[in-house]
Amino acid sequence: MNTPPVSDTWARGNPYEQYIGRWSRRMAPLFLAWLDQPAGQRWLDVGCGTGALSAAILDHCRPSSLVGVEPSEGFLQLAAQNLAGRARFLAGDAAALPLDDAACDVVVSGLVLNFVPALPAALAEMQRVAASGGTIAAYVWDYADGMEIIRVFWDVAVSLDPAAAPLHEGSRFPLCEPSALNAAFEFVGLTEVETGPLQVTAAFADFDDYWRPFLGGQGPAPAYAMSLPEAQRASLRDQLKSALPQAADGAISLSSRAWAVRGRVRRDT
């Protein structure tokens, strides 16, 4: 069987919110608590998406300023709409940030780094816009293990269609584990690098609550699901329903773990 095409592109905010956004909004405050930055800092949110992390920064960190940069017009519009007047949002790419040198004190990125095609260039850009002594930090889903919403989907998909194995996000994104994150940050010269786990539980009312977001077609797993012929998609749905742990009332609880990483910018004077 030929492997169906799959897109990593995120273009529309509402399907993302139903699929992953509702869990990423719960993860963001945990990341900020772990990061533990003082009030009054100038923040940059790289790949701000629909604004989950930006909203948490505004609610928990008392920034002096906040800029969100995002390449997707649909996501950018939703973030600006949700946080109008509280932050500035700019169209831009992680490897070409539209800010001046040393314009920020804290540069963060939530659930994005694994999708960046030229990560060293993007991290170098984050350092460029950060002040000396500033912090660069990020978090990514643990696709290979602790992000069960997505891992179980791909485990079942590959069991039914071995040709889908190269699409499994657990193998596609080797960055998403502590040693790889640590190495990526140290490679570009960041100092005091450390990593840590972030954990939430994703609770679904029933199987349909879990399955429905995959029909939005946006993101790797939903794109794969919607690329299948109807009969294959129905088989995937049935096997997933059997594989997921369900309580007596049909409720499903799944682990949603991310790995966080941070480092400090040091420049020679």
Side-chain angles (χ1 to χ4, degrees):
M1 183 183 300
N2 293 328
T3 304
V6 170
S7 173
D8 289 335
T9 301
W10 302 96
R12 293 168 291 130
N14 288 331
Y16 173 82
E17 285 295 309
Q18 289 299 310
Y19 173 46
I20 294 297
R22 51 181 166 167
W23 314 121
S24 63
R25 289 186 181 278
R26 292 177 53 195
M27 190 64 73
L30 300 182
F31 168 67
L32 296 174
W34 177 80
L35 198 55
D36 192 24
Q37 293 294 300
Q41 303 281 76
R42 301 168 298 167
W43 287 71
L44 169 63
D45 182 1
V46 178
C48 65
T50 59
L53 180 53
S54 291
I57 292 167
L58 292 166
D59 290 344
H60 298 282
C61 299
R62 292 182 290 167
S64 64
S65 63
L66 170 62
V67 177
V69 173
E70 169 59 42
S72 163
E73 181 179 348
F75 277 21
L76 202 63
Q77 287 178 351
L78 191 56
Q81 174 186 319
N82 291 340
L83 301 173
R86 302 180 66 196
R88 186 161 59 107
F89 293 97
L90 305 174
D93 184 86
L97 295 169
L99 284 90
D100 293 336
D101 294 356
C104 309
D105 303 305
V106 187
V107 180
V108 294
S109 185
L111 309 176
V112 169
L113 290 190
N114 54 289
F115 292 109
V116 175
L119 183 59
L123 290 175
E125 267 293 89
M126 294 180 194
Q127 289 183 84
R128 179 187 66 78
V129 303
S132 183
T135 297
I136 295 176
Y139 57 105
V140 292
W141 290 122
D142 179 8
Y143 291 101
D145 186 14
M147 182 38 165
E148 291 183 334
I149 298 169
I150 296 173
R151 180 184 60 77
V152 174
F153 173 93
W154 284 115
D155 287 350
V156 171
V158 171
S159 74
L160 294 172
D161 176 15
L167 306 177
H168 195 308
E169 288 162 85
S171 55
R172 282 187 59 210
F173 299 135
L175 173 71
C176 298
E177 56 89 21
S179 63
L181 289 167
N182 193 84
F185 270 48
E186 290 185 341
F187 178 78
V188 296
L190 291 166
T191 64
E192 302 175 39
V193 178
E194 55 184 307
T195 59
L198 307 172
Q199 184 86 36
V200 299
T201 298
F204 300 90
D206 52 29
F207 177 76
D208 285 341
D209 188 28
Y210 169 85
W211 174 248
R212 195 177 305 112
F214 288 98
L215 304 181
Q218 186 173 253
Y224 172 80
M226 295 309 295
S227 75
L228 296 173
E230 186 174 345
Q232 287 178 245
R233 188 162 58 250
S235 179
L236 174 59
R237 180 189 186 280
D238 291 345
Q239 289 297 315
L240 264 173
K241 188 172 184 179
S242 297
L244 290 168
Q246 297 184 56
D249 63 356
I252 297 171
S253 292
L254 297 173
S255 168
S256 299
R257 184 171 68 197
W259 291 108
V261 59
R262 61 186 169 195
R264 193 169 297 278
V265 177
R266 296 294 188 196
R267 293 193 178 93
D268 295 331
T269 57

